[in-house]
Amino acid sequence: MANDSSAQDRNLPASQRKIKRAREDGTVVRSRDLGHFVAIASGGAVLVATAPWWTEWMRHMLADGLRFDVRSVASNAAMGQRLSDLTLFLLGAVVPAGALTTLVALGGSLVVGGWNWTLKPMAPKFSKMNPLSGLGRLFSKQQLTDTLKACLLALLLGTVGTLYLKSHLGSFHSVIAMALPAALQHVGQTVIGGLLLLLLVLALFAAVDVPLQRHLHAQQLKMSTQEMKQEHKENEGNAEVKAKVKQRMREMSRRRMLAAVPTADLVVMNPTHYAVALKYDEHKMMAPRVVAKGADLLAMKIRDTARGAKVPVLQSPVLARALYAHAEVDREIPAALFAAVAQVLAYVYQLRTALAGGLRSPGEPPNVYVPAELDPANRPGPASENDAP
């Protein structure tokens, strides 16, 4: 009952991944009827093409078989040599024709399912030794379909062959009175006519069997909703695992930024929301570089870390917002903010020089100019809480 319910749940078409796995396991679309038709058709074509040659050979063989002399009667070796020659001659004629028919039959089989090379079907599977599962496969939909189709094909071929032979039975009686060449030609034409009828039946079955096998193959590979979800998880990754990985990466990034804050020259802050740590080395950098940035709680941690490392913290809401919105960590600041950052760096250097020499503080921080288009607070629409100065 579980298998039946599971089969009923499989109403989604197979994904490309499942089709690929099925091919790796040796499960591909194959039409036996198409292979039979192609094999018999190619064999019949070879027979028709070589019919004059076969007729001439059979005439010579019969003539030679009825001709003997004293030496062939007295010696057993002559008969053995004759049989050996005939056997080699037949092999030389039959083997190439059989090889050609086999290759054409394989090509006809590959037309439907394509080339597929795998050794997995040859691997031993102990699950197939279970008689209960074997009974299930014996009475499966595809197995029953193949059995009924094979029985119907055998019945039709037998019926067509019987009716054809019955309608031509009188012509075989007249062969006895014909000369050998005419008799061979008459038998050949009769056989070819019957072969064409059989090929017509096989062609009809192949025309039905090819789409039928494709349909059964698609039905066999159908997937349930649960299987589709599981495959999607395997392809895209488990959402919980991906979330944990992203969280882990964010934590590592935060630790790396906080570790870089003590090396900064300045931290620019919006008093409660944004913090951006800048570093500048005129010998190694073309412009100041952002070593850390954060919002809300992370901004507070950057501020506390900077104060603990005695890194100047400058309150400049507009510049902090612009740097947070347009500058990236471990990247140089945008060119449009060079002038504003240069002003605050100059103030920081003056402040350091004054403190180191015991001089008076250089005064209030400069009122830097930031282009209006770089300030997120000037964007259209209601300003968010974090954009407040």
Side-chain angles (χ1 to χ4, degrees):
M1 295 298 293
N3 293 334
D4 293 341
S5 60
S6 177
Q8 292 175 359
D9 292 340
R10 294 192 180 98
N11 51 11
L12 299 177
S15 63
Q16 290 298 324
R17 183 181 182 186
K18 185 168 185 179
I19 294 175
K20 182 179 179 181
R21 285 182 175 178
R23 292 186 66 86
E24 292 174 354
D25 293 336
T27 305
V28 293
V29 182
R30 290 287 185 258
S31 175
R32 295 180 182 177
D33 291 335
L34 179 61
H36 297 160
F37 168 73
V38 173
I40 297 178
S42 60
V46 171
L47 181 62
V48 172
T50 59
W53 180 83
W54 280 102
T55 303
E56 187 65 20
W57 176 79
M58 291 178 67
R59 188 176 68 82
H60 283 291
M61 184 188 68
L62 290 174
D64 292 341
L66 297 175
R67 185 184 302 117
F68 58 91
D69 53 18
V70 176
R71 185 180 63 84
S72 60
V73 174
S75 175
N76 294 332
M79 183 178 293
Q81 183 63 35
R82 176 68 65 85
L83 291 175
S84 177
D85 294 340
L86 289 175
T87 301
L88 292 176
F89 183 83
L90 283 174
L91 288 176
V94 172
V95 170
L100 177 62
T101 302
T102 302
L103 291 176
V104 173
L106 289 176
S109 179
L110 296 179
V111 168
V112 181
W115 176 261
N116 187 45
W117 173 257
T118 178
L119 296 177
K120 284 189 176 181
M122 300 177 61
K125 294 183 179 179
F126 296 101
S127 59
K128 292 187 176 181
M129 300 178 64
N130 187 350
L132 296 179
S133 60
L135 288 175
R137 291 191 300 269
L138 183 62
F139 294 101
S140 63
K141 181 190 298 184
Q142 183 163 1
Q143 190 67 30
L144 291 175
T145 302
D146 291 341
T147 302
L148 292 175
K149 184 164 55 63
C151 293
L152 181 60
L153 177 60
L155 179 61
L156 286 179
L157 290 177
T159 302
V160 171
T162 301
L163 294 177
Y164 182 80
L165 290 177
K166 184 178 180 180
S167 63
H168 290 76
L169 190 59
S171 64
F172 284 104
H173 295 163
S174 61
V175 171
I176 301 175
M178 294 181 182
L180 180 59
L184 293 176
Q185 182 179 4
H186 179 75
V187 171
Q189 292 176 351
T190 305
V191 171
I192 292 174
L195 181 61
L196 290 176
L197 286 177
L198 296 180
L199 284 176
L200 179 60
V201 176
L202 288 175
L204 292 176
F205 265 79
V208 174
D209 186 59
V210 171
L212 177 63
Q213 293 301 326
R214 287 177 175 170
H215 173 73
L216 292 176
H217 181 72
Q219 291 291 328
Q220 181 183 2
L221 296 183
K222 275 191 172 182
M223 304 174 66
S224 64
T225 305
Q226 183 61 33
E227 290 175 335
M228 189 67 73
K229 290 181 179 179
Q230 182 64 30
E231 183 173 298
H232 180 73
K233 286 183 179 180
E234 294 176 358
N235 289 336
E236 303 296 332
N238 191 293
E240 296 180 359
V241 175
K242 291 175 65 176
K244 291 181 179 179
V245 170
K246 289 182 179 180
Q247 182 180 1
R248 180 67 175 173
M249 292 177 64
R250 286 194 295 267
E251 292 176 356
M252 293 176 62
S253 177
R254 289 176 181 177
R255 286 197 295 267
R256 187 182 71 252
M257 288 193 302
L258 292 176
V261 169
T263 66
D265 295 319
L266 167 68
V267 173
V268 181
M269 285 199 67
N270 177 342
T272 57
H273 297 299
Y274 301 122
V276 181
L278 301 173
K279 182 178 179 61
Y280 179 63
D281 187 341
E282 60 182 1
H283 301 293
K284 299 180 180 180
M285 302 177 186
M286 298 294 295
R289 183 182 296 270
V290 177
V291 296
K293 73 173 185 177
D296 300 328
L297 182 60
L298 181 58
M300 299 299 103
K301 290 183 178 181
I302 293 175
R303 180 197 63 186
D304 296 340
T305 304
R307 288 176 176 175
K310 296 183 180 181
V311 175
V313 178
L314 178 65
Q315 303 290 339
S316 180
V318 179
L319 182 57
R321 289 197 300 265
L323 287 171
Y324 185 85
H326 302 286
E328 299 295 335
V329 178
D330 294 331
R331 300 285 183 86
E332 295 180 352
I333 64 174
L337 296 175
F338 282 179
V341 174
Q343 293 180 30
V344 295
L345 284 175
Y347 172 77
V348 169
Y349 295 154
Q350 294 175 8
L351 179 62
R352 286 180 176 177
T353 302
L355 293 177
L359 303 177
R360 189 175 57 182
S361 170
E364 294 295 326
N367 186 15
V368 297
Y369 168 75
V370 175
E373 64 272 13
L374 296 182
D375 186 0
N378 294 329
R379 292 175 183 172
S384 64
E385 180 183 345
N386 289 348
D387 290 336

